[in-house]
Amino acid sequence: MTTNEELEVNRRRDRLLASIALSSGVGLLLALPFALRAGAEFFLPLTAALVIAIALVPLLEWLERRGLPSGLSALLAVVAFLSVANTALVLIVVPATDWFRILPQRLPKIQATLAPLIDFYSQAQRFVDETVQMLVAGPASVAHRAAVETPGSLLQFAAASAPSAIIQMVFALLIIYFFLAGWTRLRRRTINSRGSFDGAMAVARVIQNVVDATSAYVMTIATINLCLGLAVALALWLIGMPSPWMWGGIVALLNFIPYFGPMLAALLLALGGLMVFDDVWTALLPAFLQIGFHLVEANVITPTILGRRLTMNPLLILVSLTFWGWVWGTPGALLGVPLLIIVQTVVAAAGTPDIAGFLFEQGTLTVSRRKENATSEETDGEDG
């Protein structure tokens, strides 16, 4: 077999392997969302735990640099996370349970407060189109008042949940702990297992970039959202809104979901204002305040602090939020942006497959021209 024939055989073989790899990859991508959605009880706590663990790696490394062993550092990091989560639960879930419980009793008040707006809308509708008759729905049935025991801590909240939720919570905490406890050893082993120095440096760069980008985004956004929640809570306290810290916590939590979260927070604040105040404009003031604070945060504060390093394409953010929200609901939407950061960081450091080259007869598994020329020169030298 001549050299050209051998190169052609190798090219066809690589072409076949590239076709199989591309077909398998496309099939995996198509099946992955449905598998993640069907196995949400396993994949959701696993993914959330990994994202939280990656965000806690800087705290773990800070503790290890102070001379603490990995196991104790991981335990302290988990305890710190649980403290923050328990504080958020006490500030948000406990008062929100009371608000939800009295909501059926406040429905008549909400209807009475909205009566001027409803009348104005009805008159405008009749003025624009007098031929269309508005259908007036019958009186809404009052929801049954359920005796809900207000949880006072994260443990009580877990105990009040379904057994599967408790198992998922314990599973996630164990994942976070063991990931952090073995992080330093796992990173060292992964780097040392590379066959060359360049490969080890590439792996170390990918790992460090993922940790830095994810932890920087999560901690920076968490700080910004906390300040936003405090500002909203203070403004609501000044206008006499009950449970201002709860509303501030809701605003801070929902602000982790770009675009959709602030809109949902404004709607909830409007509903809460209608449950408290008699005047419609005063009732809508909490929502207007939240929108104003959000506009300043989203257009001035966040771009100034994050800069270009963590700036992402808005289209990719929308796609990520829609995808993970469809797969796992609200928890998936909360994880959408951190997962997008992880994927973008890995792709930027490791490179992307040359799919376009594959489509145009130069697949990623095809022998490069430089290698072909070197092979041809070696063969010619042996023949000479």
Side-chain angles (χ1 to χ4, degrees):
M1 181 181 296
T2 63
T3 302
N4 292 333
E5 291 177 348
E6 183 178 356
L7 291 176
E8 183 64 23
V9 170
N10 291 335
R11 185 181 294 107
R12 291 181 178 179
R13 180 194 61 192
D14 293 336
R15 182 74 174 168
L16 177 61
L17 291 176
S19 301
I20 295 175
L22 181 60
S23 302
S24 302
V26 172
L28 179 62
L29 288 177
L30 293 176
L32 183 62
F34 300 97
L36 293 175
R37 191 175 185 182
E41 293 184 355
F42 172 78
F43 290 111
L44 176 57
L46 174 63
T47 306
L50 292 177
V51 172
I52 294 172
I54 292 175
L56 291 175
V57 165
L59 175 60
L60 172 78
E61 295 177 342
W62 183 83
L63 292 173
E64 289 180 342
R65 287 194 298 268
R66 295 321 186 261
L68 297 179
S70 298
L72 180 59
S73 300
L75 180 61
L76 292 178
V78 173
V79 170
F81 167 73
L82 288 177
S83 301
V84 174
N86 189 77
T87 302
L89 176 70
V90 172
L91 291 178
I92 299 175
V93 177
V94 175
T97 304
D98 296 333
W99 280 77
F100 178 77
R101 187 165 46 194
I102 65 176
L103 177 59
Q105 303 175 5
R106 300 297 178 89
L107 287 178
K109 180 179 179 60
I110 295 175
Q111 294 176 354
T113 305
L114 288 176
L117 288 180
I118 296 176
D119 294 340
F120 175 79
Y121 174 78
S122 301
Q123 294 175 4
Q125 181 70 17
R126 286 194 299 267
F127 176 78
V128 174
D129 192 356
E130 296 179 354
T131 61
V132 178
Q133 296 181 355
M134 298 183 61
L135 299 178
V136 180
S141 57
V142 179
H144 295 284
R145 180 177 179 179
V148 180
E149 183 179 357
T150 303
S153 64
L154 190 63
L155 182 61
Q156 293 182 7
F157 179 75
S161 305
S164 59
I166 300 177
I167 295 175
Q168 291 176 8
M169 184 179 299
V170 174
F171 172 68
L173 292 176
L174 290 177
I175 291 293
I176 295 173
Y177 172 77
F178 287 114
F179 180 91
L180 294 176
W183 167 253
T184 303
R185 184 171 58 254
L186 176 63
R187 182 177 59 178
R188 186 183 300 114
R189 184 184 307 166
T190 303
I191 296 174
N192 294 335
S193 64
R194 299 297 95 183
S196 63
F197 177 77
D198 292 338
M201 292 302 297
V203 172
R205 184 173 62 254
V206 171
I207 294 175
Q208 194 62 42
N209 288 345
V210 169
V211 171
D212 290 344
T214 305
S215 59
Y217 174 83
V218 172
M219 298 308 296
T220 304
I221 292 298
T223 304
I224 293 174
N225 292 346
L226 178 61
C227 295
L228 175 65
L230 291 175
V232 172
L234 179 60
L236 295 179
W237 174 75
L238 291 176
I239 66 173
M241 183 75 171
S243 306
W245 302 114
M246 178 202 73
W247 292 113
I250 291 176
V251 169
L253 181 63
L254 291 178
N255 207 55
F256 279 98
I257 306 176
Y259 309 127
F260 303 107
M263 291 189 293
L264 179 58
L267 292 176
L268 291 177
L269 278 170
L271 178 61
L274 292 171
M275 294 173 61
V276 175
F277 301 107
D278 296 328
D279 181 65
V280 62
W281 301 114
T282 306
L284 296 178
L285 182 59
F288 292 149
L289 289 173
Q290 187 270 334
I291 293 173
F293 279 113
H294 169 69
L295 291 177
V296 175
E297 173 268 323
N299 294 284
V300 179
I301 298 177
T302 299
T304 302
I305 295 178
L306 291 183
R308 295 183 177 181
R309 188 168 61 91
L310 293 178
T311 301
M312 290 169 289
N313 191 333
L315 179 60
L316 292 179
I317 294 177
L318 284 176
V319 171
S320 180
L321 290 176
T322 305
F323 174 79
W324 293 110
W326 171 74
V327 173
W328 291 329
T330 302
L334 290 171
L335 294 173
V337 177
L339 290 176
L340 178 61
I341 291 177
I342 293 175
V343 172
Q344 281 189 325
T345 305
V346 172
V347 169
T352 56
D354 188 10
I355 299 177
F358 165 77
L359 296 176
F360 292 100
E361 303 295 332
Q362 294 179 357
T364 53
L365 299 181
T366 303
V367 179
S368 63
R369 295 295 181 184
R370 182 180 301 176
K371 187 175 181 180
E372 289 181 2
N373 295 334
T375 306
S376 300
E377 292 176 0
E378 292 177 359
T379 305
D380 294 339
E382 292 176 358
D383 293 341

